Amino acid sequence: LGHAYPNPFNPSTTIEYALPTSSDLTLAVYDIQGRLVTYLSRGFIAAGYYEKIWDASRYSSGIYFIRLQAYDIYGKNNFVSTQKIVLVK
């Protein structure tokens, strides 16, 4: 999981990530209370470099967390990374 940019942001931010192997991936945004806000990507994804843009124009200002979870096809090599982002309106 690369750094989201810009951060702080208004109203959108770009999230970059890379997968060394094909993986079952979940890329999600959570609010400060740990509630799921939205999924940015879900499913089986081939190895490579990716970026997603989160348009948060309909969400309120505050702190959010981006969480990436990846599992290889054998259910091994599990990876989890979390990053804090700040929406300022």
Side-chain angles (χ1 to χ4, degrees):
L1 182 61
H3 294 288
Y5 64 90
N7 187 20
F9 67 99
N10 178 23
S12 65
T13 188
T14 302
I15 299 108
E16 294 181 336
Y17 58 96
L19 298 173
T21 61
S22 298
S23 302
D24 186 17
L25 175 115
T26 302
L27 181 64
V29 178
Y30 294 87
D31 67 15
I32 191 71
Q33 295 178 338
R35 294 179 298 215
L36 177 66
V37 173
T38 187
Y39 288 109
L40 299 176
S41 184
R42 265 190 343 182
F44 192 77
I45 298 177
Y49 292 92
Y50 297 91
E51 68 177 32
K52 291 287 182 178
I53 297 173
W54 181 40
D55 179 5
S57 58
R58 61 182 237 218
Y59 298 99
S60 61
S61 295
I63 297 172
Y64 294 88
F65 295 93
I66 300 168
R67 183 171 185 184
L68 179 136
Q69 294 177 279
Y71 306 95
D72 69 11
I73 59 174
Y74 305 108
K76 299 179 180 179
N77 300 321
N78 301 334
F79 177 79
V80 178
S81 181
T82 305
Q83 183 179 142
K84 179 174 77 170
I85 57 175
V86 179
L87 172 59
V88 180
K89 290 190 173 183

